[in-house]
Amino acid sequence: MTMRYRAYAYTTEADRRQRLEDDVRRGLTASQKTLPSKYFYDAIGSKLFEEITRVPEYYLTRTETKLLETLAPEVMLELAPVDIVELGAGSSTKTRLLLDARDGLRDPVRYVTVDVDEPTVEAGAARLLADYPFLDVHAVVGDFERHLEHVPSPVGRRLVLFLGSTIGNLDPPARQQLLAQVRSLLRAPQDRFLLGLDLVKDKVLLEAAYNDASGVTRAFNRNILEVVNRGVDGDFRPEAFRHVAFFNEAESRIEMHLVPESAQDVKLRRLGLDIRVSPEESIWTESCYKFTRGRAQAMLVGAGLRLERWHVDPDAYFAVAVAAPA
Ligand code: SAH
Ligand code: AVI
């Protein structure tokens, strides 16, 4: 790729493997078995996620996209950022909506993308570079919970993006920690943070979004077992597990689990570990928290941020918050 693209990986293959081994051992020997949701995103998982964004039940992506289309001119022309940092950008499709709205502005922009899945980042960057000659791309291939210190210092007005309600995949303590780090990425009073949040709504709609009729979310959920098999030389049979997703109202989150049809004895050879998963238990693979304006405001304030604007679609399904340093 051209000199306009630079990628920095902050973990070695050996380190990544060690972390996966530690996470799998810890998660699958706990009384409530768990796997961290960041492991969904291997090449197949990222493709399955892209497919999820197109199933009719998954309203999140299309609703946020519409909101961003409306907001983009205001955000881009008012803020005129020259330094855009995006966490969990994936293929950077939504970033394009913002870049398209720079109508007339041709100042160079540096785009810093932070994501664990390198091939997806690279493919997204290639498309951006081809279409936006004013752009430089700096890819931080890593974990946004561990590697934000490697985001380079701003080159001018900065806009940080965290879209898609990916923040909802973090538990409250991890979420607060991440927001505090985002706050430290904002250096100047005019720097801003754009945050996409899925909102609390009718349980039927929420549950349908995670139980699509075409079964793509089921395939996405089961794929994490393929990632584990590859990572620790395991023999999970993903098809032996049911996909279970429901709204936990008390915690305001969708929970995704994998529940075996019958008891499964699984060898995790690289860990020297044999485990049994019985039909009375589950492997909890993901939480997707849903927000209200009040809760979003409180979490931003808790991280030293001020909620400046709150944009919601007409059905009040999804919100894009604009936050500033407090
Ligand atoms: N922002 C895009 C993609 C959302 S999918 C959208 O709104 O459609 C979630 C993305 O976050 C994936 O690309 C995944 O690889 C990335 N991701 C998940 N956990 C991560 C972590 N801990 N660190 C870095 N990237 C992560
Ligand atoms: C990436 N993240 C915001 C998605 C979500 O809705 O929480 C991941 C996902 N899980 C199941 N479907 C989509």
Side-chain angles (χ1 to χ4, degrees), residues 42-72:
D42 69 342
I44 291 176
S46 292
K47 287 221 167 63
L48 287 168
F49 175 74
E50 295 280 324
E51 260 186 69
I52 287 175
T53 65
R54 292 190 287 270
V55 301
E57 297 92 335
Y58 196 77
Y59 58 82
L60 288 83
T61 309
R62 60 172 184 275
T63 311
E64 189 186 35
T65 298
K66 267 210 194 117
L67 268 173
L68 286 173
E69 275 166 357
T70 314
L71 276 176

Side-chain angles (χ1 to χ4, degrees), residues 95-287:
T95 326
R96 304 174 72 88
L97 299 172
L98 297 173
L99 294 173
D100 286 340
R102 285 184 88 236
D103 224 16
L105 294 180
R106 284 291 171 263
D107 293 337
V109 170
R110 186 185 61 189
Y111 174 61
V112 182
T113 166
V114 187
D115 202 288
V116 275
D117 179 25
E118 185 162 21
T120 303
V121 167
E122 204 172 287
R127 284 192 295 271
L128 288 175
L129 289 169
D131 294 343
Y132 304 97
F134 55 82
L135 206 64
D136 276 315
V137 179
H138 180 122
V140 175
V141 180
D143 186 333
F144 51 55
E145 292 192 75
R146 296 177 50 231
H147 297 122
L148 288 191
E149 70 197 78
H150 299 298
V151 170
S153 298
V155 291
R157 277 178 84 120
R158 173 171 269 179
L159 177 65
V160 178
L161 309 173
F162 196 15
L163 302 174
S165 206
T166 301
I167 194 167
N169 298 133
L170 301 177
D171 285 330
R175 185 198 297 163
Q176 276 320 123
Q177 220 176 342
L178 185 88
L179 287 175
Q181 281 204 284
V182 168
R183 170 65 188 87
S184 67
L185 292 176
L186 305 182
R187 303 284 164 81
Q190 67 270 25
D191 292 349
R192 291 293 179 271
F193 175 41
L194 211 65
L195 177 64
L197 296 165
D198 195 20
L199 299 176
V200 173
K201 62 183 66 61
D202 184 352
K203 188 178 166 128
V204 174
L205 289 170
L206 282 171
E207 291 188 342
Y210 293 85
N211 289 285
D212 61 290
S214 53
V216 186
T217 311
R218 177 179 59 215
F220 176 74
N221 198 4
R222 284 175 171 169
N223 180 59
I224 204 167
L225 299 181
E226 303 281 12
V227 173
V228 170
N229 279 347
R230 206 168 48 240
V232 302
D233 193 13
D235 64 356
F236 269 112
R237 288 191 312 114
E239 67 288 356
F241 287 79
R242 278 188 302 126
H243 161 73
V244 175
F246 59 87
F247 187 53
N248 177 336
E249 260 177 276
E251 300 291 341
S252 197
R253 66 186 178 216
I254 288 280
E255 291 183 16
M256 291 215 313
H257 296 256
L258 289 164
V259 181
E261 299 282 3
S262 59
Q264 298 293 307
D265 290 307
V266 183
K267 283 194 192 323
L268 306 168
R269 283 179 280 257
R270 192 166 297 137
L271 302 182
L273 189 67
D274 291 350
I275 60 158
R276 165 166 280 217
V277 193
S278 73
E280 292 75 43
E281 61 175 340
S282 75
I283 303 174
W284 185 358
T285 51
E286 191 178 45
S287 296

